[in-house]
Amino acid sequence: VALGRWDGQIDILDIVSGESLQQLKVRSTAWPLAISDDGHFVAAFTNTQGLILLDRRAPGTAGASASGRLLWPANGARVAFLRFSPDGRRLLAGMEDGLVRAWNSRTGEELMVLETGDPRVSALDISADGSSLVTVGRDECVKIWQCLWPSMSE
């Protein structure tokens, strides 16, 4: 489990014991945030850095300051919701401008921009096989999308 704090600290906890596994430090409040199912990646939106992707296995990730890979600038549309695909290969962001953006979590390459027609994406999820995406707009309307992903090399 990943928990973001107002002071920029991200705590990675064991879901069973609650024991602290790792602490990451970013420059400002990290919200929203997501952790990949395999626990290797943490994504967080901060007011000062924007949307950053942290590889927990990378040297220098823990400790005083974790910079990560910048995926989306802080002065762009705010990120409202984050979700990794079940295989951890894609990071999806529901934006406050009604778009869904997706990135390759290994390379940072932007894979998709989806115009939902909603003024804000409040929630999203992706099916276990990655073939379908569900979005929820500010009006609580649920939409289901078929995903046709570009091929990704590791």
Side-chain angles (χ1 to χ4, degrees):
V1 172
L3 302 173
R5 297 184 354 188
W6 66 270
D7 62 358
Q9 183 166 305
I10 300 172
D11 294 313
I12 310 299
L13 306 174
D14 181 279
I15 195 162
V16 176
S17 69
E19 177 185 342
S20 178
L21 301 175
Q22 187 177 22
Q23 293 181 337
L24 309 171
K25 182 76 173 166
V26 294
R27 295 186 195 136
S28 64
T29 303
W31 187 89
L33 57 89
I35 188 167
S36 61
D37 286 354
D38 62 11
H40 293 165
F41 295 98
V42 174
F45 184 79
T46 75
N47 291 332
T48 57
Q49 290 170 280
L51 177 56
I52 56 173
L53 181 64
L54 303 164
D55 184 340
R56 293 185 50 226
R57 302 163 298 175
T61 302
S65 179
S67 57
R69 180 188 307 249
L70 178 66
L71 300 178
W72 186 252
N75 62 354
R78 268 195 68 78
V79 175
F81 200 89
L82 290 169
R83 174 77 71 213
F84 281 94
S85 61
D87 63 8
R89 294 170 42 137
R90 298 173 185 90
L91 173 66
L92 295 101
M95 313 295 282
E96 288 194 355
D97 62 3
L99 299 177
V100 172
R101 295 181 177 274
W103 292 268
N104 179 322
S105 61
R106 292 349 185 232
T107 67
E109 173 190 8
E110 189 171 71
L111 300 172
M112 175 191 76
V113 178
L114 172 67
E115 295 183 26
T116 66
D118 294 312
R120 179 181 193 267
V121 177
S122 300
L124 62 87
D125 208 350
I126 187 167
S127 63
D129 66 0
S131 67
S132 299
L133 176 68
V134 176
T135 61
V136 180
R138 184 171 48 193
D139 61 359
E140 298 181 7
C141 180
V142 176
K143 295 179 181 177
I144 301 172
W145 309 86
Q146 181 181 7
C147 298
L148 301 174
W149 298 106
S151 62
M152 293 182 358
S153 57
E154 294 286 337

